[in-house]
Amino acid sequence: VMRRFIVAGGQLGPISRNETKASAIKRMSELMKQAAERGARLIVFPELALTTFFPRWWSDNKAAFDAMFETKMPNNDVLPLFQLSEELEIAFHLGYAELTPEGRRFNTAILTNCKGRIVGKYRKIHLPGHSDEQSWRPFQHLEKYYFEKGDLGFPVFDMHNWKLGMCICNDRRWPETWRVLGLKGAELVVLGYNTPLHYPPAPEHDHLQYFHNELSVQAGCYQNGLWSVAVAKAGYEESCELIGGSIIVGPTGEIIARAQGSHDQVISSEIDLDRCREIRENIFNFDEHRQPNEYSLLAKE
């Protein structure tokens, strides 16, 4: 059973508002081919990878952006990626906007196995930004307006004898996300993000955006003894600069691969899931050292 294998991150450059989903899928297919050439068994694509980051615009009518959402998965637009996954025997993670049959909207990601079959699904829980129009901002961040809080918890999926966890973007900043995934035995956490370089409420933090991205993922990996692949949609997208900095991080908290620049590109590394034990049997041995009786405050409203 393969516990050592190559993982890849498929960073995307900007997606314009008028770019088609078919075009985005074509770009991801190219990255998937490159990853397969490197021997990767899994490639991670970003949050909202099929469209521009549309929550940067206000509309009185949410349905004005319904074309940005997927009502089923797979669908005709994304089918080529699923077919390529099966052909190349490479699993993938894909973030997208989901519109359910009941009319609910989520910021969602799916995970397939190496046969292009969906094995996992996650809906973003820590939605950042605001739910009202704030016209003072140079761009809006309306995830709380366009999406509901995820309702699937933080699930961990068994696939190919790997234990995979999922989260999305802002979730990575919250230690509780990583701890719940770690407690559930995740050995590899995959996530995508669309993170603006400029943060209007606290612009004095703008120069820290890349640092905070790495800090969050490195801490999550080290404190829970797991691997992570964190992948950006990056670059100057519709008047908003998004950070790149996609990374692969080991259970020691070390960065072992990092994207350069903010264009479409593949990062990859061999990982060994058995190395999770180095942390989990020692300094962060949960059974030996955790003191959950002292943490009750964490679960209070």
Side-chain angles (χ1 to χ4, degrees):
V1 176
M2 281 201 326
R3 303 282 289 159
R4 287 174 70 123
F5 58 97
I6 295 169
V7 294
Q11 177 174 293
L12 291 175
I15 296 179
S16 68
R17 189 167 177 173
N18 60 7
E19 183 169 347
T20 64
K21 292 173 185 175
S23 168
I25 287 293
K26 198 171 177 186
R27 290 165 59 183
M28 283 183 265
S29 297
E30 284 306 309
L31 297 177
M32 185 179 275
K33 287 173 191 167
Q34 289 176 40
E37 282 167 13
R38 300 185 192 184
R41 303 301 313 280
L42 167 68
I43 182 167
V44 179
F45 294 116
E47 172 190 32
L48 298 176
L50 297 171
T51 65
T52 199
F53 185 81
F54 62 87
R56 68 171 66 97
W57 293 291
W58 170 264
S59 171
D60 290 323
N61 175 18
K62 276 180 208 175
F65 283 98
D66 280 359
M68 299 279 182
F69 288 74
E70 311 309 308
T71 53
K72 63 176 187 174
M73 192 61 70
N75 55 45
N76 289 340
D77 285 322
V78 301
L79 202 55
L81 196 66
F82 282 79
Q83 291 167 337
L84 190 63
S85 161
E86 184 175 17
E87 181 188 324
L88 299 176
E89 295 191 350
I90 179 170
F92 69 90
H93 161 283
L94 176 71
Y96 63 96
E98 178 190 14
L99 179 57
T100 72
E102 301 78 39
R104 302 176 72 192
R105 294 171 176 83
F106 296 102
N107 187 338
T108 297
I110 50 164
L111 185 65
T112 76
N113 61 18
C114 294
K115 301 287 183 200
R117 301 281 181 276
I118 296 173
V119 294
K121 184 179 196 175
Y122 170 71
R123 291 168 170 161
K124 186 173 179 178
I125 286 173
H126 296 101
L127 296 171
H130 49 101
S131 56
D132 56 327
E133 186 176 14
Q134 297 185 6
S135 53
W136 61 268
R137 293 173 179 253
F139 51 85
Q140 307 274 316
H141 201 122
L142 289 158
E143 287 190 62
K144 288 183 185 293
Y145 178 66
Y146 286 110
F147 302 121
E148 288 183 48
K149 171 181 160 282
D151 60 353
L152 301 176
F154 291 109
V156 171
F157 304 98
D158 286 298
M159 179 172 100
H160 308 310
N161 199 37
W162 318 331
K163 280 195 162 319
L164 274 73
M166 302 167 73
C167 65
I168 296 175
C169 194
N170 190 39
D171 289 322
R172 76 195 187 283
R173 302 182 190 275
W174 297 83
E176 295 85 355
T177 299
W178 298 93
R179 181 46 48 93
V180 171
L181 290 169
L183 285 169
K184 289 182 172 184
E187 298 167 317
L188 169 61
V189 172
V190 294
L191 69 107
Y193 57 93
N194 286 215
T195 298
L197 188 64
H198 175 47
Y199 183 59
E204 60 272 24
H205 293 174
D206 287 2
H207 72 288
L208 298 170
Q209 292 292 18
Y210 278 87
F211 167 64
H212 285 158
N213 177 51
E214 294 183 355
L215 178 69
S216 300
V217 178
Q218 289 178 273
C221 288
Y222 169 58
Q223 291 167 348
N224 297 283
L226 48 80
W227 295 86
S228 184
V229 184
V231 182
K233 168 129 68 64
Y236 194 64
E237 184 183 273
E238 297 290 352
S239 305
C240 178
E241 183 76 32
L242 299 172
I243 68 167
S246 302
I247 46 176
I248 299 172
V249 179
T252 55
E254 294 168 286
I255 294 174
I256 54 175
R258 183 196 273 112
Q260 298 176 42
S262 53
H263 54 284
D264 290 18
Q265 63 187 280
V266 174
I267 58 170
S268 61
S269 178
E270 182 177 76
I271 69 171
D272 180 356
L273 296 182
D274 289 334
R275 286 199 63 203
C276 296
R277 293 209 306 265
E278 290 171 28
I279 299 293
R280 292 183 179 183
E281 291 178 0
N282 294 294
I283 195 161
F284 288 114
N285 182 320
F286 289 171
D287 291 339
E288 289 279 320
H289 306 308
R290 276 181 80 247
Q291 299 293 341
N293 292 340
E294 306 300 331
Y295 310 152
S296 58
L297 187 62
L298 293 179
K300 286 201 166 73
E301 289 280 330

